[in-house]
Amino acid sequence: MSPRALPLSNPVFTILSGLIEERLGLFFSPQDSDILAEKTSPRALERGFDSLLDYYYYLRYDAGAAEELEHLAEALVVNETYIGRELDQLTALVDLLLPPLLAERGTARIWSAACSTGEEPFTLAGMLSDRGLLGRVELLASDLSQRVLAVAKQGKFSGRSLRALPPASVGWLEREGSGASLRPDLLRAVDFRQLNLSDREAVRRMGKMDVILCRNVLIYFRDSTIKSVIDSFASILNPGGYLLIGASESLLRFGAPLRCEEHGGAFFYRKDPV
Ligand SMILES: C[S@@+](CC[C@H](N)C(=O)[O-])C[C@H]1O[C@@H](n2cnc3c(N)ncnc32)[C@H](O)[C@@H]1O
């Protein structure tokens, strides 16, 4: 364990990880006890606590607990993402699934529900723009972390975000040294907001969606949380709408309210058309 980590006994691990899961959806198993101690300790120490039990009491009962949980969330989340990630699925979405949907409805609402620093919705914005479809799609993006949202709204990318650029992206970006900045119309096309996916009411307030992307975040949730998040997505998807999850994730074990379909070699979960 890192020298900066405060001790975390089994009973304190149980109540602290339970509180984090209840409020943020993030699951830490007992094997992750050292990781949780390492991630929470710097924030606890910064707030003047030298015991994780005292920090737990603060998070559970203090008037400033909700705000402190937002700070702690920044230390707990994994924000890995890049432009063009799992591109086959996005290509199948814009080339195969979206055209019939737009033909039927005229417009579409698409939500990137754990967007991190924005590379996922911006990739989609670029692909839609290239196909002349951007003006017909409302693109929403959200994340738990205020820090990544602030980065996303800048539309600036470092080398890491640019490591798997699709050839089409030359028209989306302007190179600046080892980084790049996004074309202003693509930046303006995405509406960012903060949202906790385990807050069912917040998901409901997003309104009806035609497509929801929730990629590479369900792996941080326990099955019961995943099921609850999927149920709330299903309740806001329009009939015939699609849910996209990460390539390494699957919902088949849940008997989910959405049907798994393959399009263009990628998997999608679809709400039954009525
Ligand atoms: C690994 S990134 C995935 C980004 C992007 N979807 C992709 O596939 O490249 C996971 C994101 O999920 C966010 N996240 C974690 N828990 C969340 C929650 N309860 N509600 C909303 N976002 C959450 C994290 O802040 C992080 O930015």
Side-chain angles (χ1 to χ4, degrees):
M1 208 188 300
S2 112
R4 291 195 65 206
L6 295 165
L8 181 58
S9 65
N10 289 342
V12 179
F13 167 80
T14 303
I15 54 177
L16 181 61
S17 62
L19 179 66
I20 288 168
E21 186 176 14
E22 178 189 314
R23 302 289 162 83
L24 305 175
L26 300 168
F27 174 60
F28 290 87
S29 74
Q31 297 97 285
D32 301 328
S33 182
D34 286 355
I35 295 171
L36 186 64
E38 278 168 24
K39 289 191 168 195
T40 45
S41 294
R43 184 68 204 167
L45 289 163
E46 198 182 320
R47 292 298 321 227
F49 296 101
D50 55 11
S51 131
L52 288 177
L53 179 59
D54 291 345
Y55 186 53
Y56 162 79
Y57 282 130
Y58 182 82
L59 286 171
R60 165 76 67 195
Y61 300 112
D62 196 88
E67 194 183 333
E68 182 54 29
L69 263 164
E70 292 209 356
H71 287 288
L72 180 61
E74 303 292 352
L76 299 177
V77 290
V78 176
N79 303 124
E80 166 67 7
T81 188
Y82 51 89
I83 293 177
R85 186 175 196 180
E86 296 171 17
L87 191 67
D88 291 355
Q89 193 186 36
L90 299 184
T91 305
L93 173 67
V94 296
D95 287 338
L96 303 178
L97 307 185
L98 209 50
L101 220 143
L102 287 172
E104 186 191 318
R105 298 172 197 179
T107 58
R109 298 188 86 216
I110 301 184
W111 174 26
S112 167
C115 65
S116 187
T117 37
E119 286 80 344
E120 179 178 276
F122 290 141
T123 301
L124 209 45
M127 296 172 82
L128 291 168
S129 168
D130 291 348
R131 289 156 178 80
L133 298 176
L134 190 56
R136 297 176 64 189
V137 172
E138 186 183 354
L139 264 180
L140 302 122
S142 65
D143 200 279
L144 177 66
S145 159
Q146 295 280 14
R147 182 176 50 80
V148 293
L149 291 169
V151 174
K153 288 175 191 170
Q154 301 294 312
K156 305 247 186 239
F157 305 102
S158 68
R160 261 188 87 69
S161 295
L162 307 173
R163 66 183 185 267
L165 285 181
S169 66
V170 284
W172 312 341
L173 301 163
E174 193 169 318
R175 295 305 295 226
E176 291 173 346
S178 62
S181 66
L182 191 69
R183 223 172 64 205
D185 64 311
L186 300 182
L187 182 59
R188 281 195 305 271
V190 184
D191 179 358
F192 289 99
R193 61 195 66 186
Q194 199 255 351
L195 185 140
N196 180 351
L197 288 171
S198 59
D199 180 345
R200 293 180 68 108
E201 182 51 27
V203 172
R204 196 192 58 76
R205 281 197 303 270
M206 290 296 292
K208 291 291 179 189
M209 294 291 161
D210 296 298
V211 178
I212 301 174
L213 293 88
C214 185
R215 309 194 310 166
N216 304 302
V217 60
L218 298 176
I219 38 172
Y220 302 107
F221 299 162
R222 190 205 289 265
D223 277 3
S224 53
T225 309
I226 298 176
K227 185 154 184 355
S228 162
V229 171
I230 299 307
D231 284 348
S232 56
F233 285 160
S235 74
I236 62 164
L237 271 177
N238 281 322
Y242 296 94
L243 170 67
L244 284 65
I245 62 171
S248 65
E249 299 162 324
S250 166
L251 302 179
L252 293 176
R253 65 189 180 284
F254 299 115
L258 306 170
R259 202 156 17 89
C260 186
E261 296 182 356
E262 188 182 342
H263 299 275
F267 290 106
F268 297 82
Y269 289 84
R270 187 171 199 203
K271 183 158 168 171
D272 279 338
V274 280

